[in-house]
Amino acid sequence: ETGVTQTPRHLVMGMTNKKSLKCEQHLGHNAMYWYKQSAKKPLELMFVYNFKEQTENNSVPSRFSPECPNSSHLFLHLHTLQPEDSALYLCASSLFGQGKNGYTFGSGTRLTVV
Amino acid sequence: AQRVTQPEKLLSVFKGAPVELKCNYSYSGSPELFWYVQYSRQRLQLLLRHISRESIKGFTADLNKGETSFHLKKPFAQEEDSAMYYCALGTNAGKSTFGDGTTLTVKP
């Protein structure tokens, strides 16, 4: 699949579980992002990575832990989540410093916390 | 600080009617404006960008710096246009700011 690929597509986890979301892009982009999409807040920026370095953490609780080993891969490690964390988690990528190009989004991971 | 406002959470029109989705922004620098669309069960995707001055699927959007607006327009709405639309403001610092979105429903 070209573009931005997210796995898994769906995830159900208990509040004591530890799981990870994965995002991968081969578009030559150097910036990657995690967004949370829910009915309450339509599109909420969580983290920004530029050339593997985290440049923004939008006051996200520590139960969400991002990891960016290289410019093509981005992870979101989850632990001791709450039911209110259930949402669609979107990954996006772009060419950092070139705002005119816009973002390419993945299909998202639908997370349900039980 | 940059901000994007989409005043209408929901918008409903009949097929064949004109549609305008409003977007206003605030930014002290030179903005790059985008419209993204999310059809049901599909990924969020870029619809158009102001710098390209393009028309995609019959939609156009003109940047009005005086009114700080970037409204999305289509003269004749189609049922397949029903979707969630986000306006976004990009800067060369990399981060884009998104509005809260407008859900467009085109009724037959």
Side-chain angles (χ1 to χ4, degrees), chain A residues 1 4 33 35 37 39 42-43 45 48 56 88 90 94 96-103 105-107, chain B residues 9 32 34 36 38 41 43-46 49 51 84 86 90-96 98-101:
Chain A
E1 185 181 343
V4 178
Y33 312 82
Y35 278 86
Q37 189 178 38
L43 207 56
L45 177 66
V48 179
E56 184 148 348
L88 181 68
L90 295 174
S94 73
F96 197 88
Q98 295 187 29
K100 62 179 181 285
N101 289 314
Y103 288 5
F105 281 90
S107 297
Chain B
K9 193 170 182 178
E32 302 291 347
F34 307 87
Y36 289 81
Q38 189 172 31
R41 300 183 186 280
R43 70 178 64 197
L44 190 59
Q45 57 188 290
L46 183 64
R49 64 198 82 182
I51 197 169
M84 181 80 153
Y86 290 96
T91 71
N92 281 338
K95 187 180 76 170
S96 281
F98 287 80
D100 286 343

Short mmCIF file of all heavy atoms in Angstrom, two decimals, chain A residues 1 4 33 35 37 39 42-43 45 48 56 88 90 94 96-103 105-107, chain B residues 9 32 34 36 38 41 43-46 49 51 84 86 90-96 98-101:
data_model
loop_
_atom_site.label_atom_id
_atom_site.label_comp_id
_atom_site.label_asym_id
_atom_site.label_seq_id
_atom_site.Cartn_x
_atom_site.Cartn_y
_atom_site.Cartn_z
N GLU A 1 0.84 -1.20 0.00
CA GLU A 1 0.00 0.00 0.00
C GLU A 1 0.88 1.25 0.00
O GLU A 1 1.84 1.33 0.72
CB GLU A 1 -0.90 0.00 1.25
CG GLU A 1 -1.88 1.15 1.27
CD GLU A 1 -2.74 1.14 2.52
OE1 GLU A 1 -2.81 0.10 3.20
OE2 GLU A 1 -3.33 2.17 2.82
N VAL A 4 0.39 6.44 3.54
CA VAL A 4 0.60 6.24 4.96
C VAL A 4 -0.21 5.03 5.42
O VAL A 4 -1.42 4.98 5.21
CB VAL A 4 0.18 7.49 5.75
CG1 VAL A 4 0.37 7.26 7.25
CG2 VAL A 4 0.98 8.71 5.30
N TYR A 33 2.99 12.80 12.42
CA TYR A 33 2.08 13.36 13.41
C TYR A 33 1.11 12.29 13.91
O TYR A 33 0.72 11.39 13.16
CB TYR A 33 1.23 14.47 12.79
CG TYR A 33 2.00 15.49 11.97
CD1 TYR A 33 2.35 15.22 10.65
CD2 TYR A 33 2.37 16.71 12.51
CE1 TYR A 33 3.05 16.15 9.90
CE2 TYR A 33 3.07 17.64 11.77
CZ TYR A 33 3.42 17.35 10.46
OH TYR A 33 4.12 18.28 9.72
N TYR A 35 -2.74 12.21 15.53
CA TYR A 35 -3.95 12.94 15.84
C TYR A 35 -4.96 11.99 16.47
O TYR A 35 -4.99 10.79 16.16
CB TYR A 35 -4.59 13.52 14.57
CG TYR A 35 -3.98 14.81 14.09
CD1 TYR A 35 -2.87 14.79 13.26
CD2 TYR A 35 -4.53 16.03 14.45
CE1 TYR A 35 -2.31 15.98 12.81
CE2 TYR A 35 -3.98 17.23 14.00
CZ TYR A 35 -2.87 17.19 13.18
OH TYR A 35 -2.33 18.36 12.73
N GLN A 37 -9.07 11.51 16.82
CA GLN A 37 -10.34 11.97 16.27
C GLN A 37 -11.47 11.32 17.04
O GLN A 37 -11.59 10.10 17.09
CB GLN A 37 -10.44 11.62 14.78
CG GLN A 37 -11.65 12.25 14.09
CD GLN A 37 -11.69 11.94 12.61
OE1 GLN A 37 -11.35 10.84 12.18
NE2 GLN A 37 -12.11 12.91 11.81
N ALA A 39 -15.77 12.10 18.62
CA ALA A 39 -16.97 12.91 18.45
C ALA A 39 -16.86 14.21 19.26
O ALA A 39 -17.36 15.26 18.86
CB ALA A 39 -18.19 12.12 18.87
N PRO A 42 -13.17 16.88 17.19
CA PRO A 42 -13.04 16.27 15.87
C PRO A 42 -11.62 15.90 15.44
O PRO A 42 -11.41 14.82 14.93
CB PRO A 42 -13.64 17.33 14.95
CG PRO A 42 -14.62 18.04 15.80
CD PRO A 42 -14.03 18.07 17.17
N LEU A 43 -10.65 16.78 15.64
CA LEU A 43 -9.28 16.46 15.20
C LEU A 43 -8.32 17.13 16.17
O LEU A 43 -8.16 18.35 16.16
CB LEU A 43 -9.07 16.97 13.78
CG LEU A 43 -8.05 16.27 12.91
CD1 LEU A 43 -8.35 14.79 12.81
CD2 LEU A 43 -8.04 16.89 11.53
N LEU A 45 -4.56 17.38 17.72
CA LEU A 45 -3.14 17.07 17.55
C LEU A 45 -2.56 16.52 18.85
O LEU A 45 -2.79 17.07 19.93
CB LEU A 45 -2.37 18.32 17.14
CG LEU A 45 -0.85 18.17 17.00
CD1 LEU A 45 -0.51 17.24 15.85
CD2 LEU A 45 -0.21 19.54 16.80
N VAL A 48 4.04 15.78 17.35
CA VAL A 48 4.68 16.12 16.08
C VAL A 48 6.13 15.67 16.14
O VAL A 48 6.84 15.94 17.12
CB VAL A 48 4.64 17.64 15.80
CG1 VAL A 48 5.34 17.95 14.48
CG2 VAL A 48 3.22 18.16 15.80
N GLU A 56 6.67 18.61 19.28
CA GLU A 56 5.48 19.06 19.96
C GLU A 56 4.80 17.92 20.69
O GLU A 56 4.67 16.81 20.15
CB GLU A 56 4.49 19.69 18.98
CG GLU A 56 3.26 20.27 19.65
CD GLU A 56 2.70 21.48 18.93
OE1 GLU A 56 3.38 22.02 18.05
OE2 GLU A 56 1.59 21.89 19.27
N LEU A 88 -10.59 7.28 17.21
CA LEU A 88 -9.83 6.94 16.00
C LEU A 88 -8.51 7.69 16.08
O LEU A 88 -8.50 8.91 16.22
CB LEU A 88 -10.61 7.36 14.75
CG LEU A 88 -9.95 7.04 13.40
CD1 LEU A 88 -9.91 5.53 13.17
CD2 LEU A 88 -10.71 7.72 12.26
N LEU A 90 -5.22 8.84 14.24
CA LEU A 90 -4.75 9.06 12.88
C LEU A 90 -3.28 9.44 12.87
O LEU A 90 -2.82 10.24 13.69
CB LEU A 90 -5.53 10.20 12.23
CG LEU A 90 -7.02 9.96 12.00
CD1 LEU A 90 -7.68 11.23 11.50
CD2 LEU A 90 -7.24 8.83 11.02
N SER A 94 4.18 14.67 6.38
CA SER A 94 4.32 15.81 5.48
C SER A 94 5.79 16.13 5.30
O SER A 94 6.65 15.54 5.96
CB SER A 94 3.59 17.03 6.06
OG SER A 94 4.31 17.58 7.14
N PHE A 96 8.25 18.62 6.29
CA PHE A 96 8.37 19.66 7.30
C PHE A 96 9.03 20.89 6.70
O PHE A 96 9.98 20.80 5.97
CB PHE A 96 9.20 19.16 8.48
CG PHE A 96 9.04 19.99 9.71
CD1 PHE A 96 8.02 19.70 10.61
CD2 PHE A 96 9.89 21.03 9.98
CE1 PHE A 96 7.87 20.46 11.76
CE2 PHE A 96 9.74 21.79 11.12
CZ PHE A 96 8.73 21.50 12.01
N GLY A 97 8.49 22.03 7.07
CA GLY A 97 9.06 23.27 6.56
C GLY A 97 8.48 23.65 5.22
O GLY A 97 8.86 24.66 4.64
N GLN A 98 7.58 22.82 4.71
CA GLN A 98 6.92 23.15 3.46
C GLN A 98 5.42 23.04 3.68
O GLN A 98 4.77 22.12 3.24
CB GLN A 98 7.37 22.22 2.34
CG GLN A 98 8.84 22.38 2.01
CD GLN A 98 9.25 21.60 0.79
OE1 GLN A 98 8.46 21.37 -0.11
NE2 GLN A 98 10.50 21.15 0.76
N GLY A 99 4.91 24.01 4.41
CA GLY A 99 3.51 23.95 4.80
C GLY A 99 2.55 23.92 3.64
O GLY A 99 1.43 23.47 3.77
N LYS A 100 3.00 24.35 2.46
CA LYS A 100 2.07 24.43 1.34
C LYS A 100 1.72 23.06 0.78
O LYS A 100 0.83 22.93 -0.03
CB LYS A 100 2.66 25.29 0.23
CG LYS A 100 3.95 24.77 -0.39
CD LYS A 100 4.41 25.71 -1.49
CE LYS A 100 5.68 25.24 -2.17
NZ LYS A 100 6.86 25.48 -1.33
N ASN A 101 2.40 22.01 1.20
CA ASN A 101 2.12 20.68 0.63
C ASN A 101 1.00 19.94 1.36
O ASN A 101 0.47 18.98 0.84
CB ASN A 101 3.37 19.83 0.65
CG ASN A 101 4.38 20.32 -0.37
OD1 ASN A 101 4.04 20.58 -1.51
ND2 ASN A 101 5.61 20.46 0.05
N GLY A 102 0.69 20.33 2.55
CA GLY A 102 -0.38 19.65 3.26
C GLY A 102 0.06 18.29 3.80
O GLY A 102 1.21 17.89 3.67
N TYR A 103 -0.87 17.59 4.39
CA TYR A 103 -0.61 16.32 5.04
C TYR A 103 -1.16 15.15 4.21
O TYR A 103 -2.14 15.31 3.49
CB TYR A 103 -1.34 16.24 6.38
CG TYR A 103 -0.82 17.07 7.51
CD1 TYR A 103 0.22 17.97 7.36
CD2 TYR A 103 -1.37 16.95 8.78
CE1 TYR A 103 0.68 18.73 8.41
CE2 TYR A 103 -0.92 17.70 9.84
CZ TYR A 103 0.10 18.59 9.66
OH TYR A 103 0.55 19.33 10.72
N PHE A 105 -2.71 11.50 5.25
CA PHE A 105 -3.20 10.78 6.42
C PHE A 105 -3.27 9.28 6.16
O PHE A 105 -3.50 8.84 5.01
CB PHE A 105 -4.60 11.26 6.80
CG PHE A 105 -4.62 12.55 7.56
CD1 PHE A 105 -4.70 13.75 6.89
CD2 PHE A 105 -4.56 12.56 8.95
CE1 PHE A 105 -4.71 14.95 7.59
CE2 PHE A 105 -4.57 13.75 9.65
CZ PHE A 105 -4.64 14.95 8.97
N GLY A 106 -3.12 8.51 7.23
CA GLY A 106 -3.41 7.09 7.18
C GLY A 106 -4.90 6.86 7.40
O GLY A 106 -5.66 7.81 7.65
N SER A 107 -5.30 5.60 7.35
CA SER A 107 -6.71 5.25 7.54
C SER A 107 -7.12 5.24 9.00
O SER A 107 -8.31 5.23 9.31
CB SER A 107 -6.99 3.87 6.93
OG SER A 107 -6.79 3.89 5.55
N LYS B 9 -21.21 23.46 12.27
CA LYS B 9 -20.87 22.07 12.55
C LYS B 9 -21.59 21.15 11.56
O LYS B 9 -21.06 20.13 11.13
CB LYS B 9 -21.27 21.72 13.97
CG LYS B 9 -20.71 20.42 14.47
CD LYS B 9 -20.94 20.24 15.96
CE LYS B 9 -20.32 18.94 16.46
NZ LYS B 9 -20.49 18.76 17.91
N GLU B 32 -0.89 29.28 4.53
CA GLU B 32 -1.21 28.31 3.49
C GLU B 32 -2.49 27.64 3.94
O GLU B 32 -2.57 27.08 5.02
CB GLU B 32 -0.10 27.25 3.37
CG GLU B 32 1.28 27.81 3.07
CD GLU B 32 1.38 28.39 1.67
OE1 GLU B 32 0.47 28.14 0.85
OE2 GLU B 32 2.36 29.12 1.40
N PHE B 34 -5.83 25.00 3.37
CA PHE B 34 -6.19 23.71 2.77
C PHE B 34 -7.62 23.36 3.14
O PHE B 34 -8.12 23.76 4.18
CB PHE B 34 -5.29 22.58 3.30
CG PHE B 34 -3.83 22.83 3.19
CD1 PHE B 34 -3.15 23.51 4.19
CD2 PHE B 34 -3.12 22.36 2.10
CE1 PHE B 34 -1.79 23.73 4.09
CE2 PHE B 34 -1.76 22.58 2.00
CZ PHE B 34 -1.08 23.27 3.00
N TYR B 36 -9.61 19.66 3.61
CA TYR B 36 -9.53 18.21 3.64
C TYR B 36 -10.95 17.66 3.68
O TYR B 36 -11.86 18.30 4.21
CB TYR B 36 -8.79 17.72 4.89
CG TYR B 36 -7.30 17.99 4.90
CD1 TYR B 36 -6.81 19.24 5.26
CD2 TYR B 36 -6.40 17.00 4.56
CE1 TYR B 36 -5.45 19.50 5.28
CE2 TYR B 36 -5.04 17.25 4.58
CZ TYR B 36 -4.57 18.50 4.94
OH TYR B 36 -3.23 18.74 4.95
N GLN B 38 -13.32 13.97 4.43
CA GLN B 38 -13.38 12.60 4.95
C GLN B 38 -14.74 12.03 4.62
O GLN B 38 -15.75 12.38 5.25
CB GLN B 38 -13.13 12.58 6.45
CG GLN B 38 -12.95 11.21 7.04
CD GLN B 38 -12.52 11.25 8.49
OE1 GLN B 38 -12.87 12.16 9.25
NE2 GLN B 38 -11.74 10.26 8.93
N ARG B 41 -16.27 6.19 6.22
CA ARG B 41 -15.42 5.00 6.23
C ARG B 41 -14.18 5.13 5.34
O ARG B 41 -13.61 4.12 4.94
CB ARG B 41 -16.22 3.75 5.85
CG ARG B 41 -17.36 3.46 6.78
CD ARG B 41 -18.09 2.19 6.40
NE ARG B 41 -19.27 1.99 7.22
CZ ARG B 41 -19.28 1.51 8.45
NH1 ARG B 41 -18.14 1.16 9.03
NH2 ARG B 41 -20.40 1.37 9.12
N ARG B 43 -10.39 7.44 4.57
CA ARG B 43 -9.39 8.24 5.27
C ARG B 43 -9.56 9.71 4.97
O ARG B 43 -10.11 10.11 3.95
CB ARG B 43 -7.98 7.78 4.88
CG ARG B 43 -7.54 8.09 3.45
CD ARG B 43 -6.12 7.62 3.21
NE ARG B 43 -5.99 6.17 3.32
CZ ARG B 43 -4.83 5.56 3.48
NH1 ARG B 43 -3.71 6.25 3.58
NH2 ARG B 43 -4.77 4.24 3.56
N LEU B 44 -9.07 10.52 5.87
CA LEU B 44 -9.03 11.96 5.67
C LEU B 44 -8.04 12.26 4.54
O LEU B 44 -6.91 11.78 4.54
CB LEU B 44 -8.57 12.61 6.98
CG LEU B 44 -8.65 14.11 7.13
CD1 LEU B 44 -10.06 14.62 6.95
CD2 LEU B 44 -8.15 14.50 8.52
N GLN B 45 -8.47 13.03 3.57
CA GLN B 45 -7.60 13.29 2.43
C GLN B 45 -7.66 14.76 2.04
O GLN B 45 -8.66 15.43 2.22
CB GLN B 45 -8.01 12.39 1.25
CG GLN B 45 -9.45 12.54 0.81
CD GLN B 45 -9.85 11.52 -0.23
OE1 GLN B 45 -9.39 11.58 -1.36
NE2 GLN B 45 -10.70 10.59 0.15
N LEU B 46 -6.57 15.19 1.46
CA LEU B 46 -6.47 16.57 1.02
C LEU B 46 -7.38 16.78 -0.18
O LEU B 46 -7.34 16.02 -1.15
CB LEU B 46 -5.01 16.86 0.65
CG LEU B 46 -4.68 18.28 0.21
CD1 LEU B 46 -4.91 19.26 1.35
CD2 LEU B 46 -3.22 18.35 -0.24
N ARG B 49 -5.79 22.94 -2.13
CA ARG B 49 -4.93 23.89 -1.42
C ARG B 49 -5.00 25.21 -2.14
O ARG B 49 -5.11 25.25 -3.38
CB ARG B 49 -3.50 23.36 -1.36
CG ARG B 49 -2.83 23.20 -2.71
CD ARG B 49 -1.63 22.29 -2.64
NE ARG B 49 -2.04 20.90 -2.71
CZ ARG B 49 -1.20 19.87 -2.64
NH1 ARG B 49 0.09 20.08 -2.46
NH2 ARG B 49 -1.64 18.64 -2.72
N ILE B 51 -2.88 27.47 -2.75
CA ILE B 51 -1.75 27.87 -3.59
C ILE B 51 -1.89 27.30 -5.01
O ILE B 51 -1.34 27.84 -5.96
CB ILE B 51 -0.42 27.44 -2.95
CG1 ILE B 51 0.74 28.20 -3.55
CG2 ILE B 51 -0.23 25.93 -3.04
CD1 ILE B 51 2.04 28.01 -2.80
N MET B 84 -17.41 14.83 5.78
CA MET B 84 -16.92 15.78 6.78
C MET B 84 -15.83 16.59 6.11
O MET B 84 -14.92 16.02 5.49
CB MET B 84 -16.36 15.01 7.98
CG MET B 84 -15.83 15.87 9.09
SD MET B 84 -17.16 16.49 10.12
CE MET B 84 -16.31 16.72 11.67
N TYR B 86 -12.82 19.55 6.59
CA TYR B 86 -11.97 20.29 7.51
C TYR B 86 -11.19 21.36 6.76
O TYR B 86 -10.59 21.08 5.71
CB TYR B 86 -10.94 19.37 8.18
CG TYR B 86 -11.51 18.40 9.18
CD1 TYR B 86 -11.82 17.10 8.80
CD2 TYR B 86 -11.70 18.77 10.51
CE1 TYR B 86 -12.32 16.19 9.71
CE2 TYR B 86 -12.20 17.87 11.44
CZ TYR B 86 -12.51 16.58 11.02
OH TYR B 86 -13.00 15.68 11.94
N GLY B 90 -1.73 25.92 7.31
CA GLY B 90 -0.37 25.41 7.42
C GLY B 90 0.63 26.54 7.42
O GLY B 90 0.39 27.60 6.84
N THR B 91 1.74 26.28 8.09
CA THR B 91 2.83 27.26 8.10
C THR B 91 4.13 26.54 7.77
O THR B 91 4.19 25.31 7.79
CB THR B 91 2.98 27.94 9.47
OG1 THR B 91 3.52 26.97 10.39
CG2 THR B 91 1.64 28.43 9.97
N ASN B 92 5.16 27.28 7.49
CA ASN B 92 6.44 26.65 7.19
C ASN B 92 7.10 26.09 8.44
O ASN B 92 8.16 25.48 8.34
CB ASN B 92 7.37 27.62 6.47
CG ASN B 92 7.01 27.73 5.00
OD1 ASN B 92 6.38 26.83 4.45
ND2 ASN B 92 7.40 28.82 4.37
N ALA B 93 6.49 26.28 9.58
CA ALA B 93 6.99 25.63 10.79
C ALA B 93 6.54 24.17 10.82
O ALA B 93 6.93 23.42 11.71
CB ALA B 93 6.50 26.36 12.03
N GLY B 94 5.73 23.78 9.85
CA GLY B 94 5.39 22.36 9.72
C GLY B 94 4.03 21.97 10.24
O GLY B 94 3.36 21.13 9.67
N LYS B 95 3.59 22.55 11.32
CA LYS B 95 2.34 22.13 11.93
C LYS B 95 1.17 22.78 11.24
O LYS B 95 1.20 23.95 10.90
CB LYS B 95 2.35 22.52 13.41
CG LYS B 95 1.16 21.98 14.18
CD LYS B 95 1.23 22.40 15.63
CE LYS B 95 0.83 23.85 15.80
NZ LYS B 95 0.67 24.19 17.23
N SER B 96 0.12 21.99 11.02
CA SER B 96 -1.12 22.53 10.51
C SER B 96 -2.14 22.62 11.63
O SER B 96 -2.20 21.76 12.50
CB SER B 96 -1.69 21.65 9.39
OG SER B 96 -1.04 21.87 8.17
N PHE B 98 -6.13 22.65 12.38
CA PHE B 98 -7.39 22.26 11.75
C PHE B 98 -8.57 22.91 12.46
O PHE B 98 -8.55 23.12 13.68
CB PHE B 98 -7.56 20.74 11.82
CG PHE B 98 -6.68 19.98 10.87
CD1 PHE B 98 -5.35 19.74 11.17
CD2 PHE B 98 -7.17 19.52 9.66
CE1 PHE B 98 -4.52 19.06 10.30
CE2 PHE B 98 -6.36 18.82 8.78
CZ PHE B 98 -5.03 18.60 9.09
N GLY B 99 -9.60 23.22 11.67
CA GLY B 99 -10.86 23.62 12.27
C GLY B 99 -11.58 22.41 12.83
O GLY B 99 -11.09 21.27 12.71
N ASP B 100 -12.72 22.64 13.43
CA ASP B 100 -13.47 21.54 14.04
C ASP B 100 -14.27 20.73 13.03
O ASP B 100 -14.89 19.72 13.38
CB ASP B 100 -14.42 22.08 15.12
CG ASP B 100 -13.66 22.49 16.37
OD1 ASP B 100 -12.49 22.06 16.53
OD2 ASP B 100 -14.23 23.23 17.19
N GLY B 101 -14.31 21.18 11.78
CA GLY B 101 -14.98 20.42 10.76
C GLY B 101 -16.44 20.78 10.57
O GLY B 101 -17.11 21.26 11.49
#
